[in-house]
Amino acid sequence: MTSANPAIIFQNVCKKFENSRTNAVDHVDVTIQEGEFITILGSSGCGKTTLLKMVNRLYEPDEGKILLFGEDISTVDAVKVRRRIGYVIQQVGLFPHMTIGENVAVVPKLLKWKKEKIDARVKELLTLVGLEPEEYENRYPSQLSGGQQQRVGLARALAIDPKIMLLDEPFGAIDAINRLNLQDELLRIHGGLGKTFLFVTHDIHEAFKMGDRVIIMNEGEICQFDTPRHIAAHPANDFVEMLIRSAREQEQIFFDACQ
Amino acid sequence: MLEFAAKHPDKLIDALLEHLEIVLITLIISLLLAAALTVISMKIEPVSRILIQFFSVIYSVPSLALFALLIPVTGLGMKTAIIVLVIYNQYLLLRNFISGLNEVDPAVVEAARGLGMTEMQILMKIRLPLAKRALFAGVHLAAVSTIGIATIAASINAGGLGTLLFDGLRTMNTDKILWGSILSAGLAIVVNGLLGGIEKRIGRVRQ
Ligand SMILES: Nc1ncnc2c1ncn2[C@@H]1O[C@H](COP(=O)(O)OP(=O)(O)OP(=O)(O)O)[C@@H](O)[C@H]1O
Ligand SMILES: [Mg+2]
């Protein structure tokens, strides 16, 4: 799927934190087409979250710029940029004083949707992420398991049907079986709506299953950005090769255990 | 002692009412001012540090000295007393308000920001409700401290329960001294208990 204006363009983007000697994100040049499902894979601390947060202006790049549908986001009001983007934060960050229903309804309320429309949307979204509305809508976040809270975070980010979704390890706390279901559900949501997804994970299986293309990051730099098939066949450097080897070894352990 | 109360109930009640008047007016003005200063502080970070530093210095000045300092400017009486009490309260209120609002889980604030809330919406819809308890603790502290310091304000003719005490001391009238002590201590204890109860109830809501 391509369009006249790519959904997201990173142009030579660098980000360095004050108290650090190296760039957290180092000269990133990437173009993402509308409708693509992009996964970002890399070990802890390699700059995945930092890269994501620059897209909705939670961080400002020190160098380079980011374009959304051709528009340089540094020229647009940050709040406006964020309201066009769905964001699932790594720490989940549900609002503890609001019920699950109210959490999901936050952005529609900011946009002053009609109450009936909001209610219907909340029910639809909770069902979508596998939480029975009657059961969960009126609970508070502290009354949910970690995995259930993550699903609410996903529903909250999807509320106004944004064209771009940023998902920072949205399934980190979810068990293998539910995770597979949610992965499929997310692919369905994505495919059905032609949205552009940036999905961070440090699970290589998840990255390769979900991504049309995969960004592999190491120490702030992008090692490789390609389809899963290409990456597996032609790892760009030692780091990528090691990543793939470790995944194969894990499979081997499982395979051996089944003998 | 009871005879005194029976003979001059109006004196006791007037002093008590006057005291409550000083306390209430002080608290209302203090809260409005502190709320405004807090909003400014949340917008401009360095302001919060400057304000807290400034009011902490003033707070360390003994109340009697501050009353005396203001007399040439605003004269004797209730007005001066209320000004001093309001300034004292700013330290207690601002410190509690600002630290309470800033202590809200950064992940929750970032989620709100990421969803496209403006800083004002984050303050009103996220920080404020989540910091309710710390905010109320500040109000509680300010109320009790105002009741106490307001007795000293009688020394500059502000009226209130302190008048009974100072009169009693001047004329060695044990009844007045006793009633002044009982009423001012009793008022502080009752208000402290009431606000403490409310504070506990707020704490139990969620989280
Ligand atoms: N606010 C910050 N201030 C200073 N340094 C930061 C800040 N946020 C992140 N860093 C540093 O920048 C680097 C990249 O961090 P980032 O959060 O982007 O990693 P990540 O790839 O998301 O890791 P993880 O998988 O553990 O979430 C790290 O070295 C981290 O210590
Ligand atoms: Mg991260």
Side-chain angles (χ1 to χ4, degrees):
Chain A
M1 246 189 278
T2 51
S3 61
N5 272 328
I8 308 172
I9 301 178
F10 294 90
Q11 277 179 2
N12 195 32
V13 171
C14 294
K15 173 77 195 174
K16 187 168 161 308
F17 289 106
E18 266 172 30
N19 41 14
S20 153
R21 276 183 293 120
T22 54
N23 281 343
V25 166
D26 201 15
H27 295 93
V28 165
D29 251 313
V30 161
T31 299
I32 294 163
Q33 300 300 334
E34 185 170 9
E36 276 195 299
F37 196 123
I38 303 294
T39 51
I40 304 176
L41 176 67
S43 33
S44 195
C46 70
K48 305 181 294 293
T49 297
T50 309
L51 186 69
L52 218 56
K53 283 186 188 172
M54 285 191 283
V55 178
N56 60 3
R57 294 197 62 186
L58 288 173
Y59 292 154
E60 299 295 338
D62 296 313
E63 267 180 63
K65 55 183 174 183
I66 298 171
L67 312 180
L68 295 188
F69 299 106
E71 190 174 28
D72 179 351
I73 57 170
S74 66
T75 64
V76 185
D77 176 48
V79 169
K80 273 204 191 112
V81 173
R82 291 171 194 148
R83 291 209 181 151
R84 288 184 212 150
I85 299 175
Y87 179 44
V88 182
I89 97 163
Q90 189 169 7
Q91 300 87 340
V92 191
L94 296 185
F95 306 128
H97 58 302
M98 298 183 192
T99 63
I100 300 310
E102 288 164 350
N103 264 278
V104 177
V106 161
V107 186
K109 270 190 197 146
L110 289 180
L111 299 182
K112 305 208 160 52
W113 285 15
K114 289 227 167 55
K115 192 178 174 310
E116 305 82 64
K117 190 176 166 196
I118 295 179
D119 287 347
R121 184 68 181 149
V122 167
K123 289 197 164 55
E124 182 187 350
L125 284 162
L126 288 179
T127 312
L128 189 71
V129 296
L131 296 171
E132 190 64 48
E134 282 73 44
E135 171 85 26
Y136 294 99
E137 202 172 355
N138 295 314
R139 290 206 204 171
Y140 284 87
S142 62
Q143 300 167 318
L144 260 58
S145 75
Q148 290 169 336
Q149 292 182 20
Q150 282 195 323
R151 292 190 233 176
V152 177
L154 178 60
R156 182 175 68 177
L158 285 166
I160 56 163
D161 226 358
K163 286 172 104 174
I164 293 178
M165 287 283 291
L166 309 175
L167 306 111
D168 201 344
E169 300 200 38
F171 303 146
I174 294 171
D175 64 278
I177 295 174
N178 276 303
R179 194 168 176 140
L180 284 181
N181 287 335
L182 274 170
Q183 286 171 350
D184 292 334
E185 199 54 59
L186 196 63
L187 285 174
R188 213 181 51 78
I189 293 169
H190 169 258
L193 300 162
K195 295 180 201 289
T196 310
F197 278 34
L198 272 185
F199 181 106
V200 167
T201 174
H202 47 223
D203 176 349
I204 185 169
H205 299 285
E206 189 166 72
F208 277 49
K209 169 184 173 182
M210 307 287 283
D212 297 323
R213 291 196 288 166
V214 182
I215 291 177
I216 296 183
M217 284 185 79
N218 186 28
E219 294 175 355
E221 291 182 40
I222 294 194
C223 302
Q224 196 164 6
F225 178 32
D226 215 326
T227 58
R229 185 183 292 272
H230 253 94
I231 292 175
H234 311 286
N237 62 17
D238 291 349
F239 178 77
V240 181
E241 211 171 298
M242 204 164 66
L243 211 63
I244 290 168
R245 189 154 11 97
S246 74
R248 290 228 167 93
E249 268 166 29
Q250 269 179 1
E251 271 157 37
Q252 193 60 43
I253 293 168
F254 179 74
F255 189 72
D256 291 347
C258 294
Q259 295 301 299
Chain B
M1 189 190 146
L2 288 175
E3 284 157 41
F4 179 86
K7 237 198 284 177
H8 310 285
D10 49 326
K11 270 193 184 152
L12 296 185
I13 291 171
D14 283 354
L16 184 63
L17 288 180
E18 215 168 35
H19 204 85
L20 283 174
E21 187 187 346
I22 298 173
V23 170
L24 272 180
I25 296 176
T26 299
L27 285 179
I28 291 170
I29 299 175
S30 300
L31 280 175
L32 291 176
L33 183 59
L37 293 177
T38 302
V39 170
I40 296 170
S41 300
M42 295 305 289
K43 285 209 155 175
I44 313 164
E45 213 273 325
V47 170
S48 72
R49 263 177 289 131
I50 294 169
L51 284 177
I52 288 182
Q53 197 66 42
F54 173 72
F55 285 114
S56 89
V57 170
I58 296 189
Y59 190 75
S60 66
V61 177
S63 50
L64 210 50
L66 208 52
F67 285 132
L69 276 175
L70 267 182
I71 290 173
V73 189
T74 51
L76 289 169
M78 201 188 269
K79 191 169 105 191
T80 304
I82 290 175
I83 293 174
V84 169
L85 291 169
V86 167
I87 294 175
Y88 273 134
N89 280 341
Q90 292 315 299
Y91 176 62
L92 300 175
L93 293 174
L94 281 181
R95 216 186 46 171
N96 274 273
F97 285 6
I98 292 171
S99 73
L101 293 171
N102 282 330
E103 265 163 25
V104 171
D105 182 358
V108 169
V109 173
E110 189 168 273
R113 195 171 288 134
L115 290 174
M117 284 196 190
T118 62
E119 292 306 310
M120 203 53 172
Q121 287 166 334
I122 294 175
L123 179 61
M124 302 311 276
K125 294 183 181 181
I126 307 296
R127 289 192 198 268
L128 211 59
L130 287 175
K132 254 191 316 207
R133 193 168 190 201
L135 301 187
F136 194 80
V139 176
H140 180 174
L141 212 58
V144 175
S145 128
T146 304
I147 292 172
I149 304 177
T151 50
I152 303 171
S155 62
I156 56 160
N157 289 345
L161 292 170
T163 316
L164 280 179
L165 280 167
F166 282 110
D167 274 1
L169 286 170
R170 199 161 30 86
T171 58
M172 286 315 277
N173 180 332
T174 345
D175 286 334
K176 281 190 174 176
I177 296 176
L178 274 174
W179 276 112
S181 318
I182 291 172
L183 286 178
S184 56
L187 183 63
I189 291 170
V190 168
V191 169
N192 187 35
L194 278 177
L195 295 180
I198 299 176
E199 198 176 321
K200 238 186 232 143
R201 179 127 0 121
I202 294 176
R204 248 186 280 136
V205 182
R206 291 313 138 211
Q207 295 188 60

